[in-house]
Amino acid sequence: MKTDISRLTAEVIKNLYSLDYTVDILKGDSRYGDYSSNVALKLSSQLNQPPLEIASELAKEIKAVGENSLKDVTVSAPGFINFTLRDSSLLSLNYLNYKVLDSNIVIETNNPNPFKAMHIGHALNAVVGDTIANILELGGAKVHRVSYHGDVGSHVGKSMWAILKFIDGDIEKLNKIPPSDHNNFMSEMYAKGAKAYEEDEEAKTEIIELTNKSYELEDNLFRQAYSICKDWSFSHLETILNQLGSKPVEKQYLESECEPIGVKIVTDNLNKYFFESNGAIVFKGEDYGLFTTVFIASSGKGLYAARDLGLIELKKRDFSPDKILIVTANEQKDYFKVIIKASNLVGLLKNDEMENINTGIIKLTSGKMSSRQGQIVEISWLIDKVREEFKKFSDNLDDKLVAGAIRYQLLKVRLGSDIVFDIAQSVSLQGNSGPYLMYAHARARSILSKAGYYDESIDFEFEGKERELAVKLAEYESVLVSAVDELRPHYICNYLYELCQTFNSFYEDSPVLNSDRKDLRLNLVSHYSQILKHGLGILGIYAPDKM
């Protein structure tokens, strides 16, 4: 509704003053109206007219053309325009068909590497990517969810060094490890290899050799152990993503398939955009206000940057996207500026065809995570801890509740900001948490279930707290508009939490089932539950009918 008022006011300004203007609609003072705008104050100097005079002229015209949805349009000093909505327009659910995007978008919804444990930073990127994909689909885009994983490189060499030491030539030692121990085993192997690489020169040399083997897979024992442990990693990843409530990807890309394609792109542009330096091939980022980046090592192997060029080529070949989105931590922001610039120069991408969406760092009481020496917070550990916290007050625990608790805790913070994950708060039914919102939906469904039949076609005449709730419900459409336009999941989180608070105030003041206004109030409860379910669905969170 705010969006409609903004659009209507802009059209009136265009008609009266021949000006194109973006009109901000604000929450109004309830004494004057549901919404307000200070656009007349902004126009005053431009039109050289008193703001009250402009506001009066605009209000008269807006009221005339918006009479179907606006009950009244008034003016207050020093030049505010106040809008009061008709009751019948407050409970529209047209937001369910909100479509503004007509584009084909590829987005990476997860990118953890095999041979390493999936940590909570990976989980953050996965949850954010999955939710942004939901928001894009809400806006009407054709969305392709994909993933990207490093199946070659130094991390593989480190893990394989420890794995080969463990099996000592006997591949059956791997087959004897129970599936429940696979992830812990992989974490331990990577930690041992990473430590050896840092502390033991002989081990470092061996790890470098094993890193090179990851590209060729010619050694039989290496290939067998590599294949088994890679399968373990991807099986565990699939389990974790299911536990987090993320949707499956359409296609999975591996660094090994991207590497030769990226190397060819670089070598085809040698001495044009890429140059030899001490045997390696680099992109001179300083020429473009960026930093110099090595794309091909002196060994001839493509590094991360070359592989990313190959990945872009494959995405374009497979999906012909209008836009490519990648979700990574803030610390990779400058790196992706290099990738995007290099891609533009070699003709892989046009300007603005690729965007790097950045997330902050998740912190627990121990502070920032580190993937070195195995000192990381694994997402499986966090899932277990959240589940344990739930069990303190609930014996009937659905894993969807655990997923909802984690997702909401990761999504309610503005993208790019650091997150302090409080496990106890994440499962609380009293504060700004996923379970609080899930319980709110279950509570609303319980009220409707107890009520049975009610008249859904009555004329709406709200009063007091009823109107406050109805106005808050009407804000949802504008929240979705902002979330789609800016790709900000936290807008939806913030709104749903505020909506629950508004509903609680209404419910305390306004009896529902034992009231002569029962039908009207049940309509409010119904719309409230529908918006909660819809909003939670966009966030990838389950909306239970019972809890």
Side-chain angles (χ1 to χ4, degrees):
M1 186 55 66
K2 286 172 63 177
T3 306
D4 293 336
I5 297 172
S6 175
R7 188 183 301 115
L8 176 61
T9 305
E11 290 173 358
V12 170
I13 292 172
K14 178 71 172 179
N15 291 336
L16 290 178
Y17 309 121
S18 300
L19 293 174
D20 291 316
Y21 222 83
T22 300
V23 180
D24 294 326
I25 303 299
L26 310 173
K27 176 66 177 173
D29 184 326
S30 59
R31 294 174 298 171
Y32 303 112
D34 300 318
Y35 299 108
S36 69
S37 176
N38 62 356
V39 67
L41 297 167
K42 295 180 178 180
L43 287 169
S44 180
S45 60
Q46 193 170 353
L47 297 175
N48 196 27
Q49 290 179 240
L52 273 174
E53 183 178 314
I54 296 171
S56 297
E57 189 172 26
L58 288 173
K60 180 180 178 180
E61 185 66 19
I62 292 167
K63 185 174 182 179
V65 299
E67 61 179 353
N68 289 335
S69 58
L70 294 172
K71 182 178 180 180
D72 201 5
V73 184
T74 61
V75 172
S76 59
F80 287 99
I81 303 172
N82 306 300
F83 307 89
T84 300
L85 304 176
R86 291 191 183 279
D87 288 353
S88 58
S89 68
L90 287 172
L91 297 189
S92 167
L93 292 179
N94 291 332
Y95 60 82
L96 295 175
N97 297 312
Y98 176 67
K99 307 292 180 186
V100 294
L101 300 177
D102 182 19
S103 52
N104 185 31
I105 298 174
V106 173
I107 179 169
E108 285 179 26
T109 56
N110 70 85
N111 49 28
N113 292 330
F115 298 94
K116 295 173 66 175
M118 183 177 179
H119 60 62
I120 58 177
H122 292 138
L124 171 61
N125 292 347
V127 168
V128 168
D130 182 64
T131 305
I132 287 179
N134 291 340
I135 291 174
L136 291 167
E137 288 173 334
L138 171 72
K142 172 63 176 176
V143 179
H144 304 281
R145 289 171 163 85
V146 302
S147 63
Y148 181 50
H149 312 278
D151 61 332
V152 293
S154 61
H155 71 283
V156 178
K158 292 169 185 174
S159 290
M160 287 302 299
W161 178 86
I163 291 167
L164 292 173
K165 295 288 184 186
F166 171 82
I167 64 175
D168 192 24
D170 183 4
I171 197 69
E172 287 303 313
K173 288 185 178 181
L174 286 180
N175 294 327
K176 292 177 181 177
I177 299 175
S180 59
D181 293 338
H182 287 173
N183 188 55
N184 288 337
F185 173 78
M186 294 301 298
S187 298
E188 182 183 344
M189 292 300 100
Y190 177 76
K192 286 183 177 180
K195 183 177 182 181
Y197 185 86
E198 295 291 336
E199 299 178 356
D200 186 332
E201 283 300 318
E202 182 179 348
K204 182 175 181 179
T205 300
E206 293 174 0
I207 288 169
I208 291 172
E209 292 176 1
L210 292 172
T211 295
N212 292 330
K213 284 188 176 183
S214 72
Y215 292 89
E216 308 299 338
L217 300 180
E218 293 178 348
D219 180 89
N220 185 52
L221 182 64
F222 182 98
R223 182 174 61 254
Q224 290 183 67
Y226 172 93
S227 298
I228 289 171
C229 293
K230 187 175 79 168
D231 288 345
W232 288 357
S233 291
F234 282 118
S235 176
H236 180 68
L237 171 61
E238 183 178 354
T239 298
I240 290 295
L241 292 174
N242 285 336
Q243 289 177 325
L244 291 174
S246 292
K247 295 179 181 177
V249 298
E250 189 172 339
K251 190 173 181 65
Q252 183 184 77
Y253 293 101
L254 300 175
E255 286 188 9
S256 58
E257 64 181 326
C258 299
E259 191 261 348
I261 298 171
V263 167
K264 186 177 187 305
I265 293 170
V266 173
T267 54
D268 285 349
N269 287 276
L270 191 61
N271 298 321
K272 188 175 181 181
Y273 303 115
F274 301 94
F275 301 90
E276 290 189 14
S277 175
N278 298 321
I281 299 179
V282 305
F283 176 75
K284 295 182 178 179
E286 282 85 354
D287 294 344
Y288 309 97
L290 305 170
F291 60 84
T292 291
T293 303
V294 181
F295 276 66
I296 299 179
S298 56
S299 65
K301 294 296 182 184
L303 301 180
Y304 290 119
R307 297 170 207 161
D308 274 317
L309 294 185
L311 176 61
I312 294 168
E313 174 69 30
L314 287 176
K315 288 175 179 176
K316 289 181 68 67
R317 185 185 304 172
D318 292 338
F319 300 108
S320 301
D322 301 308
K323 190 91 171 181
I324 295 173
L325 300 178
I326 300 173
V327 181
T328 66
N330 277 327
E331 58 200 35
Q332 297 191 49
K333 182 188 302 183
D334 290 337
Y335 166 78
F336 273 101
K337 288 180 181 178
V338 172
I339 298 303
I340 291 171
K341 184 62 179 179
S343 299
N344 292 155
L345 291 171
V346 302
L348 264 181
L349 294 171
K350 297 177 183 177
N351 290 334
D352 301 324
E353 278 191 330
M354 181 167 156
E355 181 181 350
N356 176 215
I357 298 172
N358 300 119
T359 62
I361 297 295
I362 304 180
K363 299 177 181 178
L364 299 175
T365 54
S366 58
K368 181 179 176 180
M369 299 177 306
S370 170
S371 60
R372 295 181 60 189
Q373 308 299 324
Q375 296 172 354
I376 63 171
V377 178
E378 296 181 20
I379 184 57
S380 55
W381 174 89
L382 183 63
I383 291 172
D384 288 343
K385 289 298 181 182
V386 171
R387 184 180 288 112
E388 289 173 12
E389 195 69 25
F390 258 122
K391 287 180 178 178
K392 291 180 180 179
F393 57 86
S394 175
D395 294 327
N396 186 21
L397 179 58
D398 190 323
D399 282 346
K400 293 178 181 177
L401 299 181
V402 176
I406 293 173
R407 289 182 76 98
Y408 188 80
Q409 199 76 354
L410 300 180
L411 294 170
K412 70 179 183 180
V413 177
R414 183 180 183 87
L415 276 181
S417 300
D418 289 348
I419 299 168
V420 177
F421 200 106
D422 185 323
I423 293 173
Q425 198 277 329
S426 74
V427 304
S428 173
L429 295 178
Q430 304 300 320
N432 186 11
S433 70
Y436 172 78
L437 299 182
M438 290 186 279
Y439 175 74
H441 179 266
R443 181 187 183 197
R445 296 309 306 170
S446 175
I447 295 170
L448 294 169
S449 178
K450 290 177 181 177
Y453 171 81
Y454 62 95
D455 187 351
E456 299 181 43
S457 61
I458 63 172
D459 292 331
F460 295 105
E461 292 292 340
F462 297 121
E463 59 183 37
K465 295 292 183 178
E466 298 168 349
R467 192 163 220 290
E468 287 183 20
L469 176 58
V471 170
K472 191 65 181 180
L473 293 168
E475 290 179 15
Y476 186 47
E477 181 183 4
S478 64
V479 172
L480 294 183
V481 171
S482 296
V484 170
D485 289 347
E486 301 178 42
L487 299 183
R488 298 297 190 196
H490 78 282
Y491 288 167
I492 299 173
C493 295
N494 291 347
Y495 169 80
L496 294 181
Y497 179 58
E498 292 172 2
L499 176 62
C500 287
Q501 292 178 307
T502 303
F503 179 84
N504 290 341
S505 179
F506 153 79
Y507 196 67
E508 290 173 4
D509 179 80
S510 311
V512 175
L513 300 181
N514 300 313
S515 169
D516 57 1
R517 300 176 66 80
K518 172 183 172 182
D519 287 342
L520 182 147
R521 290 175 180 176
L522 283 170
N523 271 278
L524 284 170
V525 176
S526 176
H527 281 70
Y528 166 70
S529 71
Q530 289 180 67
I531 286 178
L532 271 179
K533 184 172 184 176
H534 186 259
L536 288 171
I538 296 170
L539 300 175
I541 297 174
Y542 171 57
D545 286 345
K546 295 181 180 180
M547 200 170 155

